[in-house]
Amino acid sequence: MTRTAVGKAGRNINILSNHFPVRFTRFDTVFYQYTVSMKHENENVVENKRMSRKVIEKMFQTYRSELANKDYIYGGERSLFTVGPLSQSMLEFAVVLEEISVRAAGSHSEGHKKRMKRVHKTTLFKVTLNYASKIPLGSIAVALRRGEPPEAQGALMVMVLNLILRQQQARMGCLLVRQSFFNRDPKSFTDLGGGVTACRGVHSSFLATVGGGFSLNMDVATTMILTPGPVIDLLIANQNVEEPKQVNWIKAKRMLRNLRIITKHNKMEHKITGFSEFPCNQQRFLWNVRDEDRECRTVEITVSEYYKRRYQLDLSWSSEYPCLDIGRQRDPIYVPLELCDLIPLQRYTKALSSKQRASLVQQSRQKPHEKRKIITQAVRSNNYDEDPLLAACGIQIEKEMTRLTGRVLPAPRLIFGNDVGFTPDRGQWKISDKILLDPVKIGVWAVVNFSARVDLNYVSREVINCARRKGIHIDHPQALIMEQIRYVETGPIIRVERMFDQLRKELHDKPHFILCILPERKHNDLYGPWKKKCLQEEGIMSQCMGTGKHNETYFQNLILKINVKLGGINWVLALEDRKAIPLVQKKATLILGLDVSHSSAGHSDTPSIAAVVGSRCWPSISMYRASVRTQSPKMELIGSLCIPNSNGHGDDGIIREMLFEFYKSSKGQKPEQIIIFRDGVSESQFNQVLNIEVDQIIKAYVMMGEGPLPKITVIIAQKNHHTKLFQADTPEKNVPPGTVVDTSIVNGRHHNFYMCAHNGIIGTSRPVHYHVLVDEIGFGVDDLQQLVLSLSYVYQRSNSAISIVAPIAYAHHAAAQLSQFIKFEDYASDASPGEGVVPPVPELPLLNTDVQNSMFFC
């Protein structure tokens, strides 16, 4: 498969993409790259990016003539770029940076506030620029337009153009989050409650494409910020209280630390460092004041009295509450709360509550034609190509989206029980009139209820009736247990423990399965402790359900999940029986899905969960097993795929489990081919996936015994991108399921394509970007794209096509579910990554052995 190969299967469809073509009016533009060395007067290297940007800006202002009156591109690191060369290949400058800060003045008494005054501070920096290379913009653009794969200079060119965008937006006072930009316009703010506001902005980035050289990718972006305005309003909203006297000041101190405020009485900006020890009307300090004879004397005064005499301000409610400290540890400077407003655009990086998440989804949801209109208007209003640097490059950005031809692949046919075949319509299918292909038998089971709003007997009856209609042989539950009222107000762990105490009293045998009714639909605090108890401690499969509409459709979907968890099969692809995928079904092929789940914002010390899913029962591609491991927090590469054990004659890694399960379930067949689907990695990590993770997989195979190495195909699936696809002819609708695009907007570094396999009902669909890094198996373009689409229809937990291939979806589900109950104190590792090596990390007992050995997704 060549890098530029395109498919031909399916019907054509007219597509618009939010990639705006870039035209060049001149082809002689050359960027010159210079290495920046920046030191303090004492020879210490400047590490702070913000400070570095200030120094460079001051340098170009001070030495304008020496720098040939050129503008510059600089992101705060070691590289600086100019359009055309500077006067010399090496330049040295002394830059004096003057800053105005607020300091305490007057006599000092430990712990007391002092009068504030502006202090002018000057700092000397030594800056050296050394010529590094030049980047011919025009020749790179021409090469891309000819379909030639971009070299390293092409990637560098994209980086420079994106730096121009960031620099432009920073000078306009925008908040920068990578390539997303947010301004202070209140119209872009949406209050989520709790002192958190959703801020809508735009994502803008240049991309190198095979269709036309460069394009500008423009999209709607959202980030969370703290609600600007009076600080006390933020505290009241965040702590969900009604008035200042109810505020927990210990929590307030943790929340406000390092936030920036502006004071109303003098319009100056400050950073919060803490709180005063006493309220304003009790916090005293020594104040140097001049009497009528102009003699300086020191008086002791409270903060309230000071603001009355110094600024003629009568404090109202804030005099009875602590002041904000905007000084240093030994030089506190106190300001009353009522004089402090939070500066806009300060990011909120902690996890959102369930209500905030629901509100965010509701507020940020946009239909295709609405999003298309917003994006197009943003391109026209931002006028990026009027930027002096972009104009000097001869860059002009089209104001209309890229128009291209996509293809809609046909949906695969599914086989249910009694050999009933069905072809899904618009990516969905009804299961009300169908029997499951391989229904399980459920003997000993129980229902537990944490919700007083749900009728236990009704749920039990409907589950039994629905399961039997789907072909499942299910007995009546051996126990129906309602939570005792006295435990409702206790903590979630205690509630779970007491429920299991009741279970043990009611049941004589260990249940195969427990149905758990939670008091809320989603994000309940009982979910994590309940799953931890069942999966880790007791080794019992469970299915949770919440309150809400418990109709026939709800119970049908519930039965799908239960049947899969207990080892059943809901349906398979018809092409599996016909062996219609010869490259996969003529040779024993193992399909792997790899994903890593990280902790939510605000829990940076919690370990990440690595999950691997492997196919079983070849030649089937619908049946999988999962395995999970913990690893260091925020580490994306999986280090536990192959772990040689202490005696040097075995392997305790995840891949060994996958290979052994494949061998056992496939009648003694060893995989001759392995297809690896990897989720969650950026383009900068592609080589690491090949050099580290794929290398581990090969080592694990070698350690299993003799035999030729299997052929490998590696496919990266990216969901975290900003490309959107719109129907050109029916803009109010999402693109149909099965839409694939492999021309114009794809890159030329390797074969890649966008696919929208699912039916987008709400909001605007986001396609998955698949990158084929290695293809030793030798797929044709149409065969591979049809395989990817087919694997989006075998996710047994849903009666609709999903947006990504099932192996990755299963891996994500396994990792995310188990991360609910992992605590950092259980994890200990002194391993540290070596150069180019991901060290193995100790495995936690995440799952009880009974559960781990049967963690099948059908």
Side-chain angles (χ1 to χ4, degrees):
M1 185 188 304
T2 63
R3 294 174 176 177
T4 57
V6 297
K8 297 182 179 180
R11 62 178 177 86
N12 289 346
I13 182 173
N14 294 324
I15 296 288
L16 292 174
S17 176
N18 59 336
H19 289 231
F20 294 81
V22 172
R23 292 192 300 109
F24 293 87
T25 59
R26 53 186 300 180
F27 292 90
D28 59 347
T29 303
V30 178
F31 279 108
Y32 281 72
Q33 180 183 6
Y34 295 87
T35 302
V36 179
S37 173
M38 187 181 301
K39 297 181 180 180
H40 292 279
E41 192 172 8
N42 61 5
E43 297 298 319
N44 288 336
V45 177
V46 178
E47 302 285 354
N48 186 282
K49 290 184 180 181
R50 186 177 179 184
M51 180 62 70
S52 298
R53 287 193 290 266
K54 286 183 178 181
V55 173
I56 293 296
E57 183 178 10
K58 182 68 173 179
M59 183 184 75
F60 272 82
Q61 291 172 355
T62 306
Y63 299 98
R64 195 74 185 168
S65 58
E66 290 88 339
L67 293 166
N69 293 316
K70 289 189 176 296
D71 207 343
Y72 65 93
I73 305 119
Y74 182 64
E77 297 182 344
R78 288 181 54 81
S79 291
L80 180 143
F81 303 88
T82 61
V83 179
L86 297 177
S87 57
Q88 299 178 40
S89 59
M90 189 190 80
L91 293 165
E92 294 182 336
F93 300 98
V95 181
V96 177
L97 199 64
E98 184 180 84
E99 291 187 295
I100 300 175
S101 60
V102 175
R103 292 289 179 85
S107 61
H108 175 72
S109 179
E110 187 68 22
H112 291 294
K113 180 190 177 297
K114 295 161 290 185
R115 184 165 55 88
M116 294 181 293
K117 76 170 187 178
R118 291 173 172 84
V119 177
H120 293 260
K121 177 186 176 182
T122 59
T123 307
L124 178 65
F125 298 88
K126 301 175 182 178
V127 182
T128 303
L129 302 181
N130 282 289
Y131 169 77
S133 65
K134 56 183 178 180
I135 311 162
L137 174 61
S139 59
I140 294 173
V142 170
L144 285 166
R145 188 175 293 275
R146 290 172 179 169
E148 298 174 9
E151 300 176 357
Q153 279 193 325
L156 188 59
M157 187 71 259
V158 169
M159 184 194 77
V160 173
L161 294 177
N162 286 334
L163 272 178
I164 294 176
L165 295 181
R166 286 178 57 84
Q167 188 168 276
Q168 178 202 56
Q169 297 297 309
R171 289 172 176 173
M172 294 170 60
C174 291
L175 169 66
L176 310 184
V177 184
R178 292 179 292 275
Q179 286 298 129
S180 296
F181 314 127
F182 307 89
N183 61 37
R184 300 186 179 208
D185 185 358
K187 294 180 181 178
S188 63
F189 294 169
T190 301
D191 185 22
L192 301 182
V196 181
T197 292
C199 180
R200 193 175 76 181
V202 295
H203 168 90
S204 303
S205 62
F206 286 99
L207 299 173
T209 63
V210 296
F214 290 102
S215 66
L216 178 70
N217 180 209
M218 196 83 163
D219 193 16
V220 178
T222 303
T223 192
M224 303 305 113
I225 62 172
L226 291 165
T227 303
V231 171
I232 190 62
D233 290 352
L234 173 71
L235 295 177
I236 289 174
N238 180 258
Q239 298 188 19
N240 194 26
V241 296
E242 296 181 355
E243 50 187 346
K245 67 180 181 181
Q246 297 173 314
V247 170
N248 183 322
W249 297 105
I250 296 177
K251 289 182 179 179
K253 182 178 180 180
R254 288 198 301 265
M255 180 189 185
L256 295 180
R257 188 171 181 84
N258 293 326
L259 295 182
R260 291 177 292 117
I261 59 166
I262 185 169
T263 49
K264 297 178 181 178
H265 62 288
N266 58 11
K267 305 301 180 184
M268 292 189 66
E269 293 188 10
H270 307 276
K271 185 168 71 173
I272 300 173
T273 57
F275 278 101
S276 63
E277 185 179 356
F278 302 105
C280 288
N281 56 11
Q282 298 178 28
Q283 184 69 52
R284 309 184 73 83
F285 66 96
L286 298 178
W287 183 31
N288 292 334
V289 61
R290 295 185 184 275
D291 57 22
E292 295 178 355
D293 298 329
R294 307 298 296 172
E295 294 291 331
C296 185
R297 60 189 179 88
T298 301
V299 297
E300 190 174 47
I301 193 172
T302 66
V303 173
S304 296
E305 292 170 340
Y306 170 79
Y307 277 90
K308 170 68 175 176
R309 294 175 60 178
R310 180 76 172 81
Y311 297 104
Q312 292 74 51
L313 292 173
D314 286 315
L315 300 182
S316 54
W317 58 268
S318 69
S319 62
E320 299 177 358
Y321 298 100
C323 312
L324 290 181
D325 184 1
I326 57 172
R328 299 177 180 179
Q329 186 174 6
R330 294 185 179 180
D331 290 325
I333 301 175
Y334 298 126
V335 183
L337 270 170
E338 67 182 82
L339 300 180
C340 301
D341 281 350
L342 201 68
I343 293 174
L345 299 182
Q346 297 190 70
R347 288 190 72 196
Y348 180 80
T349 57
K350 296 182 180 179
L352 297 179
S353 67
S354 57
K355 291 183 179 179
Q356 289 170 333
R357 281 195 295 268
S359 178
L360 175 62
V361 171
Q362 184 68 30
Q363 298 292 338
S364 60
R365 186 179 293 158
Q366 294 158 338
K367 294 180 179 179
H369 66 281
E370 295 172 341
K371 178 159 285 191
R372 175 178 160 185
K373 181 179 179 181
I374 292 171
I375 293 172
T376 304
Q377 288 177 343
V379 171
R380 292 171 179 171
S381 62
N382 275 281
N383 295 320
Y384 288 134
D385 45 9
E386 293 182 7
D387 179 87
L389 280 167
L390 293 179
C393 301
I395 288 178
Q396 292 187 351
I397 301 170
E398 299 288 345
K399 302 303 186 286
E400 299 294 336
M401 292 186 176
T402 296
R403 182 177 292 267
L404 53 91
T405 300
R407 293 173 291 113
V408 181
L409 304 181
R413 188 171 177 80
L414 307 179
I415 300 296
F416 293 85
N418 295 335
D419 205 29
V420 173
F422 180 79
T423 301
D425 180 31
R426 293 188 293 275
Q428 297 176 306
W429 55 95
K430 293 182 179 180
I431 60 170
S432 56
D433 58 345
K434 298 176 180 64
I435 295 176
L436 304 183
L437 183 67
D438 184 14
V440 297
K441 294 182 179 180
I442 303 177
V444 181
W445 69 294
V447 185
V448 300
N449 189 5
F450 287 98
S451 174
R453 293 183 291 170
V454 177
D455 185 340
L456 196 59
N457 290 298
Y458 169 77
V459 169
S460 172
R461 182 173 62 253
E462 290 302 309
V463 167
I464 292 172
N465 292 339
C466 184
R468 288 175 176 173
R469 286 195 295 270
K470 299 297 138 196
I472 293 176
H473 182 279
I474 183 171
D475 296 333
H476 287 279
Q478 276 61 45
L480 297 174
I481 301 177
M482 187 76 188
E483 182 182 27
Q484 297 180 14
I485 297 177
R486 56 179 170 166
Y487 299 128
V488 172
E489 298 300 325
T490 61
I493 295 177
I494 294 177
R495 294 176 70 180
V496 170
E497 290 293 341
R498 297 294 82 82
M499 183 64 80
F500 262 89
D501 289 342
Q502 291 178 257
L503 264 173
R504 294 186 187 98
K505 293 178 182 178
E506 296 284 340
L507 295 175
H508 299 292
D509 299 319
K510 183 178 179 179
H512 301 146
F513 165 73
I514 301 175
L515 179 64
C516 175
I517 305 171
L518 297 174
E520 296 177 15
R521 292 183 64 183
K522 292 182 178 180
H523 311 299
N524 187 269
D525 58 1
L526 282 170
Y527 181 83
W530 175 260
K531 286 294 183 181
K532 179 181 175 70
K533 185 70 176 178
C534 290
L535 297 178
Q536 187 180 52
E537 299 179 20
E538 300 293 333
I540 301 173
M541 285 292 183
S542 69
Q543 175 63 47
C544 293
M545 59 180 289
T547 57
K549 294 181 180 180
H550 292 161
N551 52 26
E552 183 179 0
T553 301
Y554 182 93
F555 286 110
Q556 287 173 358
N557 291 330
L558 195 70
I559 292 303
L560 292 182
K561 298 174 183 178
I562 293 172
N563 191 56
V564 170
K565 285 186 176 183
L566 298 180
I569 306 173
N570 296 336
W571 59 80
V572 295
L573 298 171
L575 53 81
E576 294 181 57
D577 290 339
R578 300 197 310 268
K579 294 188 177 181
I581 314 176
L583 283 179
V584 173
Q585 293 173 311
K586 287 186 177 180
K587 292 185 178 181
T589 303
L590 170 64
I591 302 176
L592 296 175
L594 285 69
D595 189 29
V596 177
S597 175
H598 303 293
S599 60
S600 58
H603 298 83
S604 59
D605 56 351
T606 303
S608 298
I609 306 295
V612 178
V613 166
S615 61
R616 48 193 295 270
C617 300
W618 178 80
S620 171
I621 60 173
S622 300
M623 306 169 70
Y624 297 87
R625 177 192 171 169
S627 184
V628 291
R629 297 286 195 282
T630 55
Q631 60 184 39
S632 300
K634 305 302 179 184
M635 187 172 78
E636 182 57 48
L637 294 177
I638 302 175
S640 52
L641 298 175
C642 178
I643 307 176
N645 55 33
S646 55
N647 59 28
H649 299 293
D651 169 25
D652 297 325
I654 298 178
I655 297 301
R656 181 183 180 280
E657 295 180 25
M658 299 296 105
L659 292 171
F660 183 74
E661 178 62 36
F662 183 90
Y663 179 84
K664 184 176 65 174
S665 64
S666 304
K667 300 179 181 179
Q669 288 276 359
K670 289 184 179 181
E672 300 176 61
Q673 304 175 148
I674 300 178
I675 303 173
I676 303 167
F677 287 98
R678 180 64 161 95
D679 183 32
V681 293
S682 62
E683 291 194 32
S684 63
Q685 296 172 308
F686 285 0
N687 285 335
Q688 291 176 294
V689 170
L690 296 176
N691 297 333
I692 297 174
E693 292 186 341
V694 175
D695 183 63
Q696 287 186 75
I697 292 171
I698 294 173
K699 286 181 179 178
Y701 186 91
V702 171
M703 294 181 73
M704 288 287 287
E706 297 180 357
L709 291 178
K711 293 182 178 180
I712 302 286
T713 291
V714 181
I715 303 171
I716 305 294
Q718 288 183 328
K719 295 174 291 184
N720 190 22
H721 60 80
H722 287 273
T723 294
K724 299 292 189 298
L725 304 176
F726 304 92
Q727 288 202 62
D729 302 325
T730 52
E732 69 281 357
K733 294 182 180 180
N734 275 309
V735 294
T739 298
V740 62
V741 170
D742 53 9
T743 61
S744 299
I745 60 174
V746 299
N747 64 61
R749 290 183 289 278
H750 41 254
H751 179 69
N752 61 110
F753 58 91
Y754 293 93
M755 179 176 288
C756 209
H758 65 298
N759 184 26
I761 301 175
I762 300 174
T764 303
S765 298
R766 176 185 294 181
V768 176
H769 194 184
Y770 291 98
H771 302 259
V772 185
L773 303 188
V774 175
D775 183 26
E776 296 176 351
I777 296 176
F779 282 101
V781 176
D782 287 328
D783 289 339
L784 180 61
Q785 292 175 355
Q786 191 64 54
L787 173 64
V788 168
L789 178 65
S790 298
L791 288 173
S792 301
Y793 280 79
V794 299
Y795 189 65
Q796 302 284 305
R797 297 169 52 85
S798 172
N799 62 327
S800 61
I802 58 175
S803 62
I804 201 164
V805 290
I808 286 179
Y810 284 136
H812 178 75
H813 174 75
Q817 185 182 54
L818 294 173
S819 66
Q820 293 279 342
F821 61 79
I822 298 301
K823 294 182 179 179
F824 184 77
E825 54 263 30
D826 296 327
Y827 175 80
S829 172
D830 56 1
S832 58
E835 185 176 353
V837 177
V838 177
V841 293
E843 177 189 357
L844 279 178
L846 295 182
L847 299 176
N848 181 282
T849 305
D850 294 339
V851 174
Q852 180 70 72
N853 290 340
S854 59
M855 194 171 180
F856 299 122
F857 296 106
C858 72

